[in-house]
Amino acid sequence: MSKIVDYIEWLALMRVFISDLKDHVGQTVELRGWVFNSRSSGKIKFLLLRDGTGLCQCVYFTGECEPAALDVFPQLTQEACVRVTGKVREEKRSPGGFELGGLSLEITAPSVDYPLSPKEHGPDFLMSHRHLWIRSKSQHAVLRVRAEVIRAIRDFFDGRGFTLTDAPIFTPSACEGTSTLFETQYFDEKAYLSQSGQLYMEATAAAFGKVYCFGPTFRAEKSKTRRHLIEFWMVEPEVAFNDLYDNMELAEQFVEYVVQRTIKNCAAELAALERNTSGLANVLAPFPRLHYGEASQIIKKENPDFVIGDDFGGTDETIISSKFDKPVFVHHYPSAIKAFYMKEDPKEPGSSMSCDLLATEGYGEIIGGGQREESLQILREKIKEHKLREEDFAWYLDLRRYGSFQHAGFGLGVERTVSWICGLGHVRETIPFPRMYGRHYP
Ligand code: 4AD
């Protein structure tokens, strides 16, 4: 009999996460977490507890809780780790809609002089304390949005018959030009950290038809801009028999899906970031499409220094995107400024069958892609023109030797997309531990 009573008591004192409190109204539960803040007001003491899944107010009344719990209050410091027990009740004014009528309170690990006090800190200080900064409300919200964006990306492709075929990180050669390659030792040989999984997706597209890879990519870019990271995550679909126009259609459906799902599922996080999402609600396919020639005329009017034939800078992209309330595709960039694998349009010599997608509100390019060159002979010439070594691409050329096929794909950068959706000023906040030019700590 007493065993049954013990069991019932144990059940009643289940350890739960704050996000699950709704399922335990009326029950006595245990919460574990960190002190967000605490205050006293006469016979009542309040502890705001953070456990990563939410915030919960725990209210301790003299006479209703264990007396020892009240003695703990003066020792509560920001981010001390605590264990509390109490009864769950609905309370609309509490952050998550529920609060705990506190019974016991115990500090399980202290936190002395927590460096990130609620006052303002500069970006350098915050980046040096990134391992702690991620506990803050704003960073927590951004990283939850990132997680949802990633779930949406996977669901979109998994739900449309794509096969995930991840690309290697150690690679023998460049995909996106030799100037941004990270060289590393691979036993007695040289290897490079992957700039893009694309070339491998072209191989798997011939094996599976519709494929994608999703992983970290690396660019040794010595630029300190709000859009550049050294290590960033890219999702890269590739589809057999698609052309440039099919590719843009896929990209716009994909971006619409990711944005609409994220603003719906992350409404609370975006509200915490004070993001006005009315503009994002308009991110619905189809998106406008501009030929590079048209786009460069628009830029030239507002930026006379722009040289037609060059790639767009950040300001140029903003000029274009400010003309539209939806993301805009720019296609047919000059072949001379695009990678060796881009197909040159037979109807328009000198222009590549490439497309970039520029986000709204000045966030710039979030997608780069296009149709691939499928002719063995032309590809060999392009490799030579780009001063690359043909032997490094022998396997890639095989794809043109054995049943070459029309195909197209693109890469979407996760951090730029999250930065745009969250309305942030810099991509560094969109990845748990950013790698930037001049910083790889912590
Ligand atoms: O335009 P990119 O260089 O395209 C490729 O790498 C193609 N091989 C992809 C493909 O067709 N499979 O990069 C694609 C996207 C950019 O639009 C941008 O969103 C992101 O990757 N990106 C970066 N994000 C953060 N920091 C950087 N340094 C980035 N470089 C590119």
Side-chain angles (χ1 to χ4, degrees):
M1 182 66 190
S2 81
K3 270 200 171 154
I4 293 173
V5 172
D6 286 352
Y7 180 64
I8 290 170
E9 276 183 2
W10 175 80
L11 266 186
L13 241 180
M14 245 188 310
R15 182 169 65 80
V16 300
F17 280 102
I18 292 171
S19 57
D20 298 328
L21 286 178
K22 60 184 182 313
D23 303 325
H24 298 279
V25 176
Q27 293 174 9
T28 299
V29 299
E30 175 188 312
L31 292 177
R32 307 283 293 259
W34 296 266
V35 175
F36 194 75
N37 117 31
S38 66
R39 66 190 166 91
S40 297
S41 163
K43 287 188 168 174
I44 316 177
K45 294 187 191 299
F46 299 93
L47 161 66
L48 195 54
L49 185 74
R50 177 187 75 73
D51 77 347
T53 73
L55 283 172
C56 177
Q57 176 165 269
C58 310
V59 188
Y60 291 81
F61 277 101
T62 310
E64 286 185 15
C65 64
E66 286 176 9
L70 300 173
D71 298 337
V72 174
F73 265 81
Q75 298 151 47
L76 292 179
T77 52
Q78 195 187 348
E79 293 300 319
C81 192
V82 296
R83 174 183 177 274
V84 307
T85 62
K87 202 166 182 178
V88 184
R89 55 185 180 232
E90 265 185 86
E91 171 53 69
K92 290 208 165 52
R93 289 166 299 174
S94 184
F98 300 92
E99 71 173 19
L100 207 69
L103 293 173
S104 71
L105 167 61
E106 175 195 344
I107 296 176
T108 56
S111 162
V112 181
D113 299 332
Y114 186 66
L116 299 183
S117 55
K119 69 171 192 217
E120 288 279 309
H121 298 282
D124 214 48
F125 183 86
L126 291 170
M127 291 314 302
S128 293
H129 292 85
R130 182 67 178 164
H131 50 297
L132 301 176
W133 190 27
I134 51 176
R135 300 181 187 191
S136 77
K137 244 180 176 175
S138 63
Q139 299 308 301
H140 189 265
V142 172
L143 294 179
R144 297 257 300 199
V145 170
R146 177 190 172 95
E148 179 61 20
V149 164
I150 290 174
R151 263 194 300 274
I153 288 171
R154 292 202 181 280
D155 286 349
F156 180 88
F157 291 115
D158 292 345
R160 281 164 181 73
F162 281 69
T163 301
L164 174 72
T165 55
D166 280 328
I169 302 241
F170 287 115
T171 60
S173 51
C175 176
E176 294 301 321
T178 47
S179 63
T180 63
L181 270 181
F182 258 113
E183 192 178 306
T184 178
Q185 204 60 30
Y186 196 79
F187 302 103
D188 296 331
E189 292 170 87
K190 270 187 199 159
Y192 306 96
L193 300 186
S194 176
Q195 297 167 306
S196 158
Q198 179 198 317
L199 306 187
Y200 296 96
M201 292 310 96
E202 293 185 51
T204 59
F208 300 91
K210 296 193 280 184
V211 296
Y212 74 103
C213 64
F214 192 16
T217 43
F218 307 84
R219 306 265 169 108
E221 273 171 309
K222 291 189 175 169
S223 51
K224 284 189 175 176
T225 79
R226 64 191 188 96
R227 296 176 184 177
H228 286 91
L229 290 170
I230 299 302
E231 182 176 322
F232 62 97
W233 281 63
M234 187 158 45
V235 57
E236 299 182 83
E238 192 72 31
V239 183
F241 311 114
N242 265 8
D243 66 10
L244 168 65
Y245 303 95
D246 302 320
N247 197 45
M248 289 195 274
E249 214 173 298
L250 177 67
E252 65 195 5
Q253 286 168 8
F254 168 59
V255 170
E256 171 185 315
Y257 178 83
V258 170
V259 171
Q260 296 311 320
R261 185 171 130 167
T262 306
I263 61 174
K264 180 167 160 256
N265 291 355
C266 289
E269 285 79 6
L270 294 168
L273 294 166
E274 296 177 9
R275 174 66 162 134
N276 176 350
T277 55
S278 57
L280 294 174
N282 199 32
V283 177
L284 302 171
F287 300 159
R289 297 174 183 186
L290 283 182
H291 188 284
Y292 172 88
E294 288 170 86
S296 42
Q297 292 300 339
I298 296 173
I299 294 169
K300 193 79 190 160
K301 278 193 195 134
E302 288 179 41
N303 175 13
D305 293 341
F306 174 70
V307 178
I308 295 181
D310 278 2
D311 206 354
F312 303 154
T315 336
D316 306 321
E317 288 180 355
T318 305
I319 294 171
I320 297 293
S321 65
S322 67
K323 306 279 178 284
F324 301 92
D325 60 359
K326 287 186 185 190
V328 50
F329 284 109
V330 177
H331 56 88
H332 280 91
Y333 285 81
S335 294
I337 57 166
K338 285 291 179 188
F340 74 96
Y341 53 71
M342 287 285 187
K343 185 176 172 67
E344 195 164 328
D345 193 336
K347 292 193 244 114
E348 213 185 296
S351 291
S352 64
M353 299 182 81
S354 56
C355 60
D356 284 0
L357 183 69
L358 312 183
T360 54
E361 300 172 71
Y363 277 87
E365 183 205 320
I366 53 167
I367 279 183
Q371 191 175 327
R372 323 307 188 185
E373 180 55 67
E374 74 248 35
S375 148
L376 176 63
Q377 191 205 328
I378 298 175
L379 200 52
R380 292 177 80 175
E381 286 163 15
K382 295 266 181 191
I383 287 173
K384 211 184 232 168
E385 272 171 34
H386 280 79
K387 300 194 169 42
L388 297 166
R389 297 188 322 169
E390 188 175 315
E391 59 267 38
D392 289 340
F393 296 93
W395 70 269
Y396 183 66
L397 291 169
D398 272 355
L399 306 176
R400 277 70 184 169
R401 282 192 186 97
Y402 305 110
S404 193
F405 59 118
Q406 173 176 294
H407 58 291
F410 62 85
L412 169 126
V414 167
E415 291 74 18
R416 287 192 192 173
T417 306
V418 174
S419 178
W420 170 47
I421 294 176
C422 291
L424 303 178
H426 201 295
V427 285
R428 65 185 165 216
E429 293 178 35
T430 63
I431 183 163
F433 295 97
R435 296 292 166 251
M436 300 183 295
Y437 182 48
R439 175 181 286 285
H440 61 294
Y441 173 91

